[in-house]
Each structure stands twice: as C-alpha cells, then as structure tokens.
Amino acid sequence: MTDAVGSIDMPDAQDEAPESKKTRKGGKRAKKGPLKRLALFYRQVVAELRKVVWPTRNQLTTYTTVVIVFVVIMIGLVTVIDYGLNHAAKYVFG
C-alpha cells in the first residue's frame, strides 16, 4: 500500500525547501534606501487605488442620504432614551 500524496508520512516534493540556498538576513528591503522604499510604497498605494471600483454619483448620493437619515434616527432614539432615563432618575431620587 502507498500513502496518499501530502500525507504526514510522505510529504510532497514541492513542500521541501532546498537546504543549499541561504537567505539574506534582511530580505530585499535591506538593500534599498528609505526614499526608494517610500517611492515603492507610494507606487503600490496608487496601484491599489486604481483597482478600486468607485461608486457613481447616484450611488454616492444614495449612500450619503441613507447614512444621514440613519444618523438622524439614531440621534432621535438616543435623545428619547436619555430624556426618559432623566425623568425616571428624577422620579426615583426625588
């Protein structure tokens, strides 16, 4: 009988790292200066922002309206609860 591929007894060949290859201590970042690292970071940020699916003007208006209405409702709810607890505390404690 043979073991299944990837079992504990028989690891896959690609899982084994070659022992003769030595890695540098700092990796690729160690030999770049701070300005090059900052430029790389900026390029990566711009590349990620280009991947973003930006909302249309109508979607943005709808989302903004929904958020404002929700916030106004929550302000009203908290105000009513605060007003009720204030009067309850005055009634209980005199």
Side-chain angles (χ1 to χ4, degrees):
M1 283 176 117
T2 61
D3 288 339
V5 176
S7 70
I8 295 174
D9 297 331
M10 300 287 292
D12 292 340
Q14 66 228 15
D15 290 343
E16 296 176 6
E19 295 177 17
S20 63
K21 192 175 188 180
K22 293 184 179 181
T23 59
R24 281 183 296 195
K25 188 171 184 177
K28 290 185 179 180
R29 284 191 228 162
K31 66 181 193 178
K32 291 184 182 177
L35 290 178
K36 287 188 178 184
R37 288 195 321 236
L38 187 62
L40 175 65
F41 175 73
Y42 177 72
R43 283 194 308 267
Q44 288 175 345
V45 167
V46 170
E48 287 297 320
L49 285 176
R50 286 188 178 144
K51 294 178 188 178
V52 173
V53 178
W54 296 98
T56 63
R57 183 175 290 276
N58 288 338
Q59 288 174 331
L60 190 62
T61 305
T62 302
Y63 297 157
T64 304
T65 304
V66 166
V67 168
I68 290 173
V69 168
F70 178 77
V71 168
V72 167
I73 289 171
M74 291 308 294
I75 288 172
L77 182 65
V78 169
T79 302
V80 168
I81 291 172
D82 183 50
Y83 183 76
L85 289 175
N86 187 18
H87 280 287
K90 284 183 181 178
Y91 177 77
V92 170
F93 296 112

